[in-house]
Amino acid sequence: MRRRRLLQAGLALAGGSWVVASAAPPTAQPAGVQPAPLRRGSRIAALAPGTWLDPADPLLDQLSQRCATEGWQLLRPPSLSQRWRWFAGSDRQRLGALQQAWLDPRVDALFYVGAGWGSARVLEAGFTVPASPRWCVGFSDCSALLLAQWAAGSVGGVHGWFGGDVAAWQRLVALLQHQPVPSLQGTPVQGGTVRGPLVVSNLTIATSLIGTPWLPPLQGAILVLEDTGEAPYRIDRQLTQWRSSGLLDGLAGIGLGRFSWAEDDVLLGDFTMEEILIERLAPLGVPLVRDLPVGHGRPNLALPLGRLAELDGRSGQLRLLST
């Protein structure tokens, strides 16, 4: 994943599909209690746990307007203007801002508006995620915080973004208000229908958490992965590590969002990205769906970590189940 390249357009993956016999769905771990729905008057803290925001970035103004339309107030703490090299302040400063916002009872949600790189350094600096439910929204590098939140047993982490089109924003709003959202449509690769809690992440960020307490257990889960700026051979290297470590054993199913890369990352005779993803993941024998509208690029449709979902490897649909 390349630092500060958050909204690269994804490249479409093409290919056929495979069907295997349906596997019995594993027992899903309990999803826990969701945070209270956001309502008019809710207060949202904007945080940059990683790379600093470009002062000319219109994201915050757009986000403030969108929140105001919903009757929400977007809070911009002083930490947003901090800068230390490529980080939005030192590790201790970013840690302090995150702790203060998380523990403030007047704050109803945390929006991770700055990503790039640095969230895992905040965890290393000593951030301990409370087990209480908390709306926390972000993606890319901020996947580290979302994974750590679910690993701590806290429900409310949402893999999504704020700068997409109106439809993507309204999906996020619906999730934060406990309203139903449409299923996501992908391309079937390997059949079967399974249910399990969602674990959604950037692959590179999740790989960097292997061996730490911040990567949640994956047994019985539906794992959704995406990435950007990584050549197919580097994706191959990461997935081989996951397979060799046994982390993928016992998964209920796998969904693949966008995986984008530069054209010169694939030379004549190399594996394509699609070939690597399928060659590494299909042998696990679980339902597999690709081309989900998730990750860097548009649309980047929101998915909540820990929510019970159903993945249909025949139709290519990923559906959230009622809480």
Side-chain angles (χ1 to χ4, degrees):
M1 188 188 66
R2 291 177 179 170
R3 180 168 57 89
R4 300 187 61 78
R5 298 187 65 177
L6 303 180
L7 296 176
Q8 284 187 327
L11 299 178
L13 300 177
S17 62
W18 291 259
V19 177
V20 297
S22 234
T27 302
Q29 55 185 324
V33 178
Q34 287 196 99
L38 296 189
R39 309 180 188 280
R40 298 192 69 83
S42 290
R43 293 158 58 90
I44 298 166
L47 298 171
T51 304
W52 55 271
L53 286 173
D54 187 331
D57 193 328
L59 172 66
L60 284 177
D61 288 339
Q62 180 194 52
L63 183 54
S64 291
Q65 294 171 4
R66 286 182 164 182
C67 287
T69 300
E70 303 299 329
W72 307 339
Q73 181 183 2
L74 185 70
L75 308 176
R76 304 190 193 187
S79 60
L80 281 179
S81 62
Q82 295 171 161
R83 182 173 174 182
W84 175 54
R85 300 299 176 95
W86 59 66
F87 299 118
S90 69
D91 294 342
R92 299 301 302 178
Q93 288 173 322
R94 301 194 320 281
L95 168 63
L98 181 58
Q99 288 178 324
Q100 181 178 359
W102 189 291
L103 299 176
D104 190 339
R106 299 167 298 175
V107 172
D108 301 292
L110 311 182
F111 280 6
Y112 300 138
V113 297
W117 164 244
S119 295
R121 290 176 61 118
V122 175
L123 294 169
E124 182 199 30
F127 181 62
T128 301
V129 183
S132 56
R134 197 65 151 132
W135 290 125
C136 297
V137 184
F139 86 118
S140 192
D141 170 69
C142 299
S143 295
L145 295 177
L146 300 178
L147 291 170
Q149 179 179 354
W150 177 232
S154 170
V155 178
V158 179
H159 183 280
W161 192 233
F162 327 98
D165 60 19
V166 173
W169 167 253
Q170 288 302 323
R171 176 186 175 88
L172 175 60
V173 170
L175 286 172
L176 298 177
Q177 293 180 340
H178 289 191
Q179 298 175 6
V181 295
S183 301
L184 298 190
Q185 182 64 55
T187 301
V189 176
Q190 192 153 264
T193 301
V194 289
R195 294 183 175 186
L198 282 173
V199 177
V200 191
S201 181
N202 174 272
L203 173 60
T204 297
I205 294 301
T207 302
S208 74
L209 298 185
I210 292 176
T212 74
W214 306 308
L215 186 66
L218 299 177
Q219 289 76 18
I222 295 173
L223 179 63
V224 179
L225 297 171
E226 62 86 30
D227 217 321
T228 186
E230 301 291 351
Y233 79 89
R234 291 196 290 268
I235 297 298
D236 183 357
R237 177 190 296 150
Q238 293 185 62
L239 291 178
T240 298
Q241 181 182 1
W242 282 67
R243 283 166 48 113
S244 301
S245 67
L247 286 172
L248 299 178
D249 297 344
L251 274 179
I254 301 174
L256 299 173
R258 291 186 194 83
F259 283 77
S260 57
W261 64 98
E263 285 187 20
D264 58 3
D265 283 337
V266 180
L267 303 178
L268 184 63
D270 286 352
F271 283 101
T272 65
M273 183 67 79
E274 179 197 351
E275 288 172 334
I276 283 297
L277 291 169
I278 294 175
E279 193 273 341
R280 293 282 78 192
L281 296 174
L284 297 172
V286 300
L288 177 61
V289 173
R290 62 179 175 88
D291 298 335
L292 291 171
V294 173
H296 294 74
R298 301 191 182 193
N300 181 11
L301 300 185
L303 286 173
L305 277 75
R307 274 283 300 274
L308 194 64
E310 181 178 85
L311 181 70
D312 188 335
R314 293 189 180 88
S315 68
Q317 285 197 338
L318 176 62
R319 179 170 66 95
L320 295 180
L321 302 178
S322 299
T323 57

